Amino acid sequence: MKAIHNLLAALALGIAALPAAAETCDSNEAFTLVLHGGFLDYEEEVGPPHRALFRKLLKSGREQLASGGSALDIVVDSIAALEDSGILDAGKGSIVNTAGFTETDASLMDGRSGRSGAVAAMQRLKNPIKASRLVMDKTEHVLFAGTNGEQTLAGLGAELVKDPASYFQKYTPQPTDEPTKPKHGTVGAAALDRCGNLAAGTSTGGWRDKLPGRVGDSPIIGAGTYADNRRCAVSGTGVGEEYIRHSVAYAIGALMEYQGLSLAAAVDRVIDETLKPGDGGVIAMDPQGRIAMRYNTPSMLRGAADSSGRFEVKIWD
Amino acid sequence: MKAIHNLLAALALGIAALPAAAETCDSNEAFTLVLHGGFLDYEEEVGPPHRALFRKLLKSGREQLASGGSALDIVVDSIAALEDSGILDAGKGSIVNTAGFTETDASLMDGRSGRSGAVAAMQRLKNPIKASRLVMDKTEHVLFAGTNGEQTLAGLGAELVKDPASYFQKYTPQPTDEPTKPKHGTVGAAALDRCGNLAAGTSTGGWRDKLPGRVGDSPIIGAGTYADNRRCAVSGTGVGEEYIRHSVAYAIGALMEYQGLSLAAAVDRVIDETLKPGDGGVIAMDPQGRIAMRYNTPSMLRGAADSSGRFEVKIWD
């Protein structure tokens, strides 16, 4: 129905607006969506707005998946909404670096094809996850970085904000801040659609104490994001440097394929043995839509919805 | 002897010049150094200068390793010399992107500690591999990108070239060019020292047809570079996008640890099955110093020297 609706809308607009690849995903019944919003370190931030946002996005994503939407589309839509919310450390809500300005990172991977797109150290992209989709769809490349990369992506249609200093959240240090702790949380999503395709994506403004130009794991395929229909879909949040050194997202898939571990066991191994306490967490999904949401930080904002009726949002244990 | 020599030299210069961590590596007899210079696609470039450069660096590296030098130092020194040569696609010899200017990428990983440093989309760094060492030694971070990252690293002591347009090689298209083929080759090194430590590094100017801001696998730990004393040391060269999508360097270590494959078998699996013909090659080394140099391109400039007397430089089969 949705494809027909899109087609009719396209015909009304003229043939040039025909959808390039209208696709229905209904060969399977099962679908799953899982989201994370990283580690929330302040009591006052942990509350109704975050839970309400996650419930809204899970409901919307569940509807899209039920009606045959693609995992890739729902991952992008969900993360773009988290970026636009301004209450998490991604997109509009991104914190500033030690020099007082915002640099964002994001990535996206399609588990069906292995196609990937990512952006790093971007100062003016409104939606880093949408720019990642542009990289995937419109270039031969996977990753663009810095102001030159941003200009290239603007030329391909990425939306830039006019006044980054007013658009992005200004972080104001509080007297109670512990400087070694992260401020706010990276966001991410993973989904299984009714075609049996997996997708995953991640977006962040990085850490409060990051130096200008620092890039974490969020835009690194295999570190912060990974999706392969035969293995799993993963999005991470935490001390990005550790996720890069240990190729955390890829490692979960390698443990499943090469050691025969279940998704849950592979995630446990990485969170409990590869990483150190306090390093972070992951959301992950196997090809059957079974999920794992593990972390070794005090909290992780997370939520899941699936075709069996599961619907949950949690922050603490 | 070298440590004593350094100490005496430091004393002569005053106490402030004392080496921070003078370390001798002589607990083992075995050491190995392996280098690559990527895919050379022009007959006229394949010849005496490249072979002579590799022989010189292998001799020098062998001497350093024999006298207890660290794998990390020899990897950095070897790659810095390849960058300065101007005859390979890294450092001074880096090609320009589609907009006509140079952007370089590099990374470095210490197999003993997992510490890593990397730089991406840099326009003025004289030696991207030395800047990667600075990231590793002087920051909490792993990866810096773009002009902001470059300024941060300049503040930490990284050397910038004053006039990038004259310092870096200007690529001049030839009538015979096939535009889909890479121009010149990424460089890389892996070493095992007499402490039993592995290290690996990679440096590149990227591909001839890359858009401004594009970043390949060379600065991505787990994709283009990986080192873990318990597994292997790897440096790759080729279609960086494929190396990122498949976490190629990390995957070799995962196949060794999780599937029990030898280094050679793990490298064969990745070159022959994970990657497609024409994607590229890797140099790799296991904890005993056994090496693999495989590629599925028509050539790969490569060379190896070890404590058993092996000494070879090859370009074609």
Side-chain angles (χ1 to χ4, degrees):
Chain A
M1 273 307 291
K2 196 179 176 191
I4 292 169
H5 183 84
N6 286 344
L7 187 61
L8 290 174
L11 288 172
L13 290 168
I15 196 77
L18 262 174
E23 186 178 8
T24 49
C25 274
D26 55 10
S27 50
N28 303 326
E29 285 304 311
F31 59 82
T32 310
L33 173 63
V34 57
L35 307 175
H36 75 79
F39 168 42
L40 298 179
D41 55 347
Y42 288 96
E43 200 63 50
E44 65 264 38
E45 292 175 331
V46 176
H50 295 87
R51 291 181 194 272
L53 174 63
F54 264 48
R55 281 196 204 96
K56 180 182 150 197
L57 295 178
L58 288 169
K59 276 183 194 164
S60 155
R62 183 174 60 179
E63 280 169 26
Q64 287 177 269
L65 287 167
S67 63
S70 83
L72 198 60
D73 288 343
I74 280 102
V75 163
V76 172
D77 290 352
S78 301
I79 294 176
L82 293 170
E83 288 174 343
D84 289 341
S85 74
I87 60 171
L88 290 159
D89 178 20
K92 182 174 175 55
S94 295
I95 59 166
V96 295
N97 61 26
T98 57
F101 61 92
T102 297
E103 292 180 294
T104 62
D105 302 334
S107 65
L108 178 67
M109 190 165 189
D110 176 7
R112 174 173 51 174
S113 62
R115 289 188 313 137
S116 307
V119 297
M122 295 290 173
Q123 289 175 248
R124 293 180 60 203
L125 289 179
K126 180 170 180 291
N127 287 108
I129 196 68
K130 291 185 183 174
S132 300
R133 181 74 187 259
L134 271 183
V135 173
M136 178 192 285
D137 288 345
K138 296 199 172 181
T139 80
E140 304 281 326
H141 301 318
V142 164
L143 173 60
F144 283 86
T147 48
N148 295 325
E150 195 161 67
Q151 284 307 309
T152 297
L153 296 178
L156 294 172
E159 185 179 357
L160 304 186
V161 300
K162 283 184 184 157
D163 181 6
S166 69
Y167 181 78
F168 293 111
Q169 170 175 311
K170 282 281 182 196
Y171 167 69
T172 310
Q174 303 295 320
T176 56
D177 280 3
E178 294 175 53
T180 57
K181 285 196 173 178
K183 175 74 177 166
H184 295 282
T186 296
V187 309
L192 170 71
D193 65 28
R194 292 181 62 198
C195 289
N197 291 321
L198 292 171
T202 310
S203 181
T204 194
W207 286 62
R208 188 179 59 188
D209 298 317
K210 74 176 184 179
L211 295 168
R214 175 267 190 184
V215 174
D217 64 311
S218 299
I220 308 299
I221 297 297
T225 300
Y226 182 69
D228 183 330
N229 278 3
R230 298 160 305 172
R231 294 180 173 182
C232 57
V234 180
S235 172
T237 172
V239 182
E241 283 72 10
E242 295 302 318
Y243 281 64
I244 293 174
R245 288 183 190 116
H246 298 290
S247 300
V248 159
Y250 181 88
I252 291 168
L255 284 163
M256 293 173 70
E257 179 165 339
Y258 300 144
Q259 291 253 287
L261 298 189
S262 67
L263 178 83
V267 167
D268 286 350
R269 175 87 71 89
V270 166
I271 294 293
D272 297 330
E273 297 178 31
T274 305
L275 296 173
K276 300 182 304 297
D279 276 350
V282 300
I283 55 171
M285 187 180 298
D286 74 9
Q288 287 72 44
R290 289 179 290 243
I291 65 167
M293 307 188 285
R294 282 290 321 276
Y295 54 97
N296 57 33
T297 39
S299 75
M300 184 173 76
L301 173 59
R302 61 202 187 276
D306 69 20
S307 47
S308 77
R310 177 177 189 161
F311 191 93
E312 64 181 78
V313 176
K314 291 184 175 179
I315 298 172
W316 312 94
D317 284 333
Chain B
M1 273 308 291
K2 198 180 176 191
I4 293 170
H5 184 84
N6 287 345
L7 186 62
L8 290 173
L11 288 172
L13 289 168
I15 197 77
L18 261 174
E23 186 179 8
T24 49
C25 275
D26 54 10
S27 50
N28 303 327
E29 284 303 311
F31 59 83
T32 309
L33 173 64
V34 57
L35 307 175
H36 75 80
F39 169 41
L40 298 180
D41 56 347
Y42 288 97
E43 200 63 52
E44 65 264 37
E45 292 174 332
V46 176
H50 295 87
R51 291 180 193 272
L53 174 63
F54 264 48
R55 282 197 202 97
K56 181 182 149 196
L57 295 178
L58 287 169
K59 276 184 193 163
S60 155
R62 183 173 62 180
E63 281 169 26
Q64 287 177 269
L65 287 167
S67 62
S70 84
L72 198 60
D73 288 342
I74 280 98
V75 163
V76 172
D77 290 351
S78 300
I79 294 176
L82 293 170
E83 288 175 342
D84 289 340
S85 74
I87 60 172
L88 290 158
D89 178 21
K92 182 174 175 55
S94 295
I95 59 166
V96 295
N97 60 26
T98 57
F101 61 92
T102 296
E103 293 180 293
T104 60
D105 301 334
S107 65
L108 179 67
M109 190 166 189
D110 175 8
R112 174 172 53 174
S113 63
R115 290 189 313 138
S116 306
V119 297
M122 296 289 173
Q123 290 175 248
R124 292 178 59 203
L125 288 180
K126 181 170 182 288
N127 288 107
I129 196 68
K130 291 185 184 175
S132 300
R133 181 74 187 258
L134 271 183
V135 174
M136 176 191 285
D137 289 344
K138 296 200 172 179
T139 80
E140 304 280 326
H141 301 316
V142 165
L143 174 59
F144 283 85
T147 47
N148 294 326
E150 195 160 68
Q151 284 306 311
T152 297
L153 296 178
L156 293 173
E159 185 178 358
L160 303 186
V161 300
K162 283 183 185 157
D163 181 5
S166 69
Y167 181 77
F168 294 111
Q169 168 175 311
K170 282 279 181 196
Y171 166 68
T172 310
Q174 303 295 319
T176 56
D177 279 3
E178 293 174 54
T180 58
K181 284 196 174 179
K183 175 73 179 170
H184 295 281
T186 295
V187 308
L192 169 72
D193 64 29
R194 293 181 61 198
C195 290
N197 291 320
L198 291 171
T202 310
S203 181
T204 193
W207 286 62
R208 187 179 58 187
D209 298 317
K210 74 176 183 180
L211 295 168
R214 175 267 189 183
V215 174
D217 64 310
S218 299
I220 308 299
I221 297 297
T225 300
Y226 182 69
D228 182 331
N229 278 3
R230 297 160 306 174
R231 294 179 173 181
C232 57
V234 180
S235 172
T237 172
V239 182
E241 283 73 10
E242 295 301 319
Y243 281 63
I244 293 174
R245 289 184 189 115
H246 298 289
S247 300
V248 160
Y250 181 88
I252 292 169
L255 284 163
M256 293 172 70
E257 180 166 338
Y258 300 144
Q259 291 253 287
L261 298 190
S262 68
L263 178 84
V267 166
D268 286 350
R269 176 88 69 92
V270 166
I271 294 293
D272 298 329
E273 297 178 31
T274 305
L275 295 173
K276 300 183 304 297
D279 277 349
V282 300
I283 54 170
M285 186 180 298
D286 74 9
Q288 287 73 45
R290 290 179 289 244
I291 66 167
M293 306 188 286
R294 282 290 321 275
Y295 53 98
N296 57 33
T297 39
S299 74
M300 183 173 77
L301 174 58
R302 61 202 187 276
D306 70 19
S307 46
S308 76
R310 179 177 187 160
F311 190 94
E312 62 182 79
V313 175
K314 290 184 176 181
I315 299 172
W316 312 94
D317 283 332

